[in-house]
Amino acid sequence: MNQRETLKVNELGHLEIGGVDCNCLREQYGTPLYVMDQDYIENICKVYADTLNAEYGEGMIAYASKAFSCLEIYRIVNKMGIGADSVSAGELFTANKAGFPMQKICFHGNNKSKSELKLALDYGVGYIVIDSYTEADDLETLCEQKNITQKVLIRTNPGVEAHTHHFVQTAKIDSKFGFSIESGDAENIVKYVNSKERLNLVGLHCHIGSQIFEEKSFILAIEKMTDFYKHLSDKYGIKFSVLNLGGGFGIWYADGDAKKTCNQYADYIKTIANSLKDCIAKKGLNKPYLILEPGRSIVGEAGITLYTAGRIKEIKGIKNYISIDGGMFDNPRYALYQAKYSVESALKMNAPKTVKYSIAGKCCESGDIIAEDVMLPQVNEGDLIAVLSTGAYNYSMASNYNRNFIPPVVMVKDGASRYIVKPQTFEDLIRNDI
């Protein structure tokens, strides 16, 4: 476990988060239950914002809200002085409803509809990231109708891919996102968008991957993006004022992942800031406004999910299953791509881990598994099971599959807890049925 002051084992041998014993959370709210640590979220937002300001200056941290989106998270990140990136009309609506300053939003997506683009213009979002020629055409028409000019970025593919501990430099252009620099597609779309009267092309965007621990890939991406900026400046006189380098910073999920404190995440920002400053000085470029879009690293380790153990199935010589009261409807990531998680028996944290289990959900699917081959103390029906680092892409990807309830979300801070997403009811399940 990646322990911290707000995620630790208390004197009772229970898992505690945000100063609240997990057993108390189950007694008050039931299970399954998403729990989010507000101190962790606020601390890492502050580290990111302060480090960017100190190491680089002109720029913005934009929380990638696809990781976890609800009214309260937009209120919290706004309080911490950072922006956001959104990828749908629903995320835009939620941010606006929360009173988020829409000029601090980057709006992404490879297939934004005309209605979504119109909503973004109505709300006054800061930047729209263009990902196709026809999107540029549609946006130009909408801006003409509203008699406005919109700041835009273009999503590019710099030929750097990075995931977890590895990265590769490649000319690969097979992606649904972005325009390849290597193939010349990025240069062509830049010329096309730059000719639009109602689109103010201020810069480019790239995103090289997810769950990245090493820093060399970011340095290489900066080299390639600044090379492209210089090429466009020298050849066409285009001088961009913004560079958005996306996100993708890795978090701890299980053994083998780096265990970082909030303060250690400053290293990513320092590396990016210093590399960019070196590149622009070496290449004679104007210093761009730098946007970074961390999401998972802000909320991922801040969240845990609590379950109650149900039936225990022992297949002698084969496997032991713990069935929980949740499953792929609240965490589909293992079923989708075998995402790894750490599991704890939340009220037996000091007990020796002597039995290997697989954690099975309650859905009518043989693939409904949360984690396999995890070592735990002997588990009995009714025990409290905690899955760690579930703050990102769990609630946001949840569904009502098998007509199960999406669990509520509770925020904890300084020993107190509160709902930020209330429980569903049976009426919620049929609300839109005819």
Side-chain angles (χ1 to χ4, degrees):
M1 187 170 78
N2 192 13
Q3 293 198 52
R4 56 183 185 263
E5 181 57 33
T6 55
L7 182 67
K8 62 185 180 182
V9 180
N10 65 21
E11 64 277 4
L12 298 176
H14 295 178
L15 183 64
E16 179 184 294
I17 183 169
V20 185
D21 190 308
C22 286
N23 194 45
C24 296
L25 290 169
R26 176 170 65 170
E27 289 177 350
Q28 183 172 356
Y29 300 104
T31 59
L33 181 70
Y34 298 118
V35 186
M36 301 292 289
D37 177 357
Q38 186 170 341
D39 268 338
Y40 187 91
I41 295 169
E42 292 176 345
N43 288 343
I44 200 164
C45 285
K46 187 176 189 305
V47 166
Y48 279 150
D50 288 353
T51 307
L52 181 62
N53 183 59
E55 298 292 329
Y56 187 80
E58 301 78 12
M60 177 177 71
I61 300 296
Y63 166 61
S65 55
K66 63 181 179 291
F68 172 63
S69 180
C70 70
L71 290 169
E72 184 63 5
I73 195 65
Y74 286 112
R75 289 191 284 255
I76 289 172
V77 298
N78 183 36
K79 181 182 73 171
M80 300 312 297
I82 69 174
D85 97 46
S86 297
V87 297
S88 71
E91 287 183 1
L92 290 177
F93 175 83
T94 306
N96 189 64
K97 197 76 172 176
F100 197 86
M102 303 303 283
Q103 72 275 12
K104 293 173 70 174
I105 283 185
C106 296
F107 185 38
H108 292 269
N110 64 301
N111 190 30
K112 307 179 200 71
S113 67
K114 291 179 182 179
S115 61
E116 286 180 312
L117 291 171
K118 183 178 183 303
L119 187 68
L121 295 176
D122 290 343
Y123 284 160
V125 302
Y127 304 93
I128 295 178
V129 183
I130 290 176
D131 213 332
S132 72
Y133 283 88
T134 54
E135 180 185 351
D137 294 340
D138 288 343
L139 187 57
E140 171 84 350
T141 298
L142 289 168
C143 287
E144 287 174 347
Q145 293 171 356
K146 295 177 69 66
N147 194 28
I148 61 172
T149 299
Q150 173 65 46
K151 287 190 291 187
V152 299
L153 308 174
I154 293 173
R155 179 154 184 172
T156 61
N157 178 354
V160 179
E161 291 183 289
H163 296 276
T164 312
H165 301 282
H166 308 286
F167 82 95
V168 292
Q169 181 177 352
T170 174
K172 176 184 175 183
I173 60 175
D174 182 10
S175 172
K176 76 172 191 175
F177 294 115
F179 296 87
S180 168
I181 293 175
E182 184 74 19
S183 70
D185 289 344
E187 183 172 338
N188 291 334
I189 187 66
V190 164
K191 290 187 292 182
Y192 187 77
V193 173
N194 198 50
S195 69
K196 299 287 189 182
E197 292 185 3
R198 296 290 182 171
L199 304 185
N200 180 15
L201 178 57
V202 296
L204 305 178
H205 169 275
C206 72
H207 177 74
I208 60 173
S210 300
Q211 191 61 2
I212 304 168
F213 289 104
E214 52 75 30
E215 298 172 0
K216 291 182 291 184
S217 52
F218 292 108
I219 296 172
L220 183 56
I222 291 167
E223 283 281 1
K224 286 179 170 287
M225 294 300 289
T226 51
D227 281 347
F228 189 45
Y229 271 38
K230 180 167 177 57
H231 169 75
L232 294 172
S233 176
D234 292 346
K235 187 172 182 179
Y236 302 107
I238 299 173
K239 299 184 184 298
F240 289 141
S241 59
V242 177
L243 176 60
N244 187 330
L245 291 171
F249 310 148
I251 71 167
W252 178 86
Y253 279 108
D255 292 341
D257 292 338
K259 291 185 175 182
K260 291 177 175 285
T261 66
C262 282
N263 288 334
Q264 287 172 330
Y265 277 95
D267 293 342
Y268 286 112
I269 310 299
K270 291 177 182 177
T271 295
I272 290 169
N274 291 329
S275 178
L276 181 55
K277 286 189 293 185
D278 289 346
C279 281
I280 60 177
K282 180 173 61 179
K283 298 168 188 177
L285 297 169
N286 295 329
K287 185 179 181 182
Y289 185 81
L290 174 60
I291 301 175
L292 298 172
E293 297 174 328
R296 185 196 313 262
S297 59
I298 289 177
V299 294
E301 289 192 56
I304 66 172
T305 307
L306 298 178
Y307 304 101
T308 297
R311 312 305 179 191
I312 312 294
K313 183 175 184 178
E314 299 177 359
I315 307 174
K316 282 193 174 183
I318 304 295
K319 188 170 286 190
N320 301 311
Y321 286 99
I322 302 170
S323 293
I324 54 173
D325 52 355
M328 63 190 297
F329 60 91
D330 63 73
N331 183 356
R333 294 184 69 244
Y334 186 87
L336 286 173
Y337 36 77
Q338 291 73 58
K340 58 185 178 180
Y341 285 98
S342 292
V343 182
E344 300 286 349
S345 185
L347 307 186
K348 300 176 180 177
M349 295 297 291
N350 294 329
K353 298 179 177 181
T354 58
V355 185
K356 184 183 290 186
Y357 291 101
S358 288
I359 313 300
K362 62 177 292 186
C363 291
C364 191
E365 291 283 350
S366 58
D368 181 18
I369 301 292
I370 297 298
E372 289 195 271
D373 299 332
V374 296
M375 296 301 297
L376 293 172
Q378 181 72 44
V379 173
N380 302 309
E381 288 191 25
D383 283 359
L384 184 60
I385 303 298
V387 180
L388 308 182
S389 299
T390 60
Y393 305 109
N394 278 229
Y395 174 77
S396 64
M397 296 175 72
S399 74
N400 290 122
Y401 184 55
N402 285 176
R403 290 262 151 153
N404 285 298
F405 297 143
I406 295 174
V409 187
V410 166
M411 188 72 76
V412 291
K413 180 180 172 70
D414 297 332
S417 61
R418 60 193 171 92
Y419 280 126
I420 61 169
V421 178
K422 66 183 181 180
Q424 290 187 327
T425 67
F426 287 119
E427 289 300 319
D428 291 325
L429 297 179
I430 63 169
R431 187 173 309 281
N432 295 321
D433 291 1
I434 303 300

